Amino acid sequence: MKKILARYIPERAVASLFDMIVEYNVHLKIVNERVTRHGDYRKMPDGTHQITVNANLNPYRFLITLIHEIAHLVAFQKYGRMIKPHGLEWKHTFQQLMLPYINPEIFPTKLVPLIANHFRNPKASSDTDAPLAIALKQFDPPTDKNYIFELPMGSVFRIHNGRVFKKGKKRVKRYECLELENGQVYLFSPNAEVDLVEN
């Protein structure tokens, strides 16, 4: 398992993450990309704990995602199954588990302040923290995708399932985008990744 982990997370994090996986009896599955999530946790009928993480994540996003999912397991064990999945108990657990990793021996120096800031009040997804998401993306393999905030107003773009939208004005945090097929308006995160069809 250590050798497998070493292919997906920073080298300095391998030993302690391996110990955490053993301690909490985690069955880790590394799976093909799922567009809607980076990972998930579920308690299996036989009482074991299964965590899945997408194989295509860069080492830093993989590490954050794996600890995010372990935090679900630990929070449910400590506080009971009735807590909110991303409520205060989970946030506190995620902060405690992540704290030893927020240092320049594990993350590049330029990421450390962004990660530290994120973990003052961690969100359900690091993707909703635009500065952190953009910084993490620099470590992904290059793609031809664009962030919505980069596109000019009125640009036409396609999302992962083939639906086509036209970018509209920004509300407080999200962009109003018109789906061209049905005329409905949807709100998009500024750092949603899309394929540009036309400017």
Side-chain angles (χ1 to χ4, degrees), residues 49-60:
H49 304 282
Q50 179 178 286
I51 287 174
T52 62
V53 181
N54 291 0
N56 67 323
L57 303 181
N58 71 52
Y60 311 112

Side-chain angles (χ1 to χ4, degrees), residues 35-47:
V35 177
T36 56
R37 66 183 65 169
H38 295 314
D40 64 19
Y41 158 71
R42 64 179 68 136
K43 187 171 183 180
M44 305 306 282
D46 65 359

Side-chain angles (χ1 to χ4, degrees), residues 99-143:
L99 198 58
Y101 298 94
I102 305 174
N103 68 69
E105 289 190 349
I106 291 175
F107 289 99
T109 306
K110 62 183 177 181
L111 278 183
V112 172
L114 293 168
I115 291 168
N117 187 57
H118 177 78
F119 278 92
R120 288 190 182 133
N121 183 20
K123 306 285 188 288
S125 170
S126 58
D127 288 348
T128 58
D129 181 339
L132 178 57
I134 292 162
L136 284 169
K137 188 180 190 307
Q138 295 169 27
F139 300 93
D140 291 341
T143 70

Side-chain angles (χ1 to χ4, degrees), residues 83-97:
I83 62 170
K84 291 182 179 175
H86 296 107
L88 291 174
E89 298 88 352
W90 171 81
K91 286 175 187 267
H92 177 72
T93 305
F94 195 11
Q95 287 168 326
Q96 296 304 111
L97 292 176

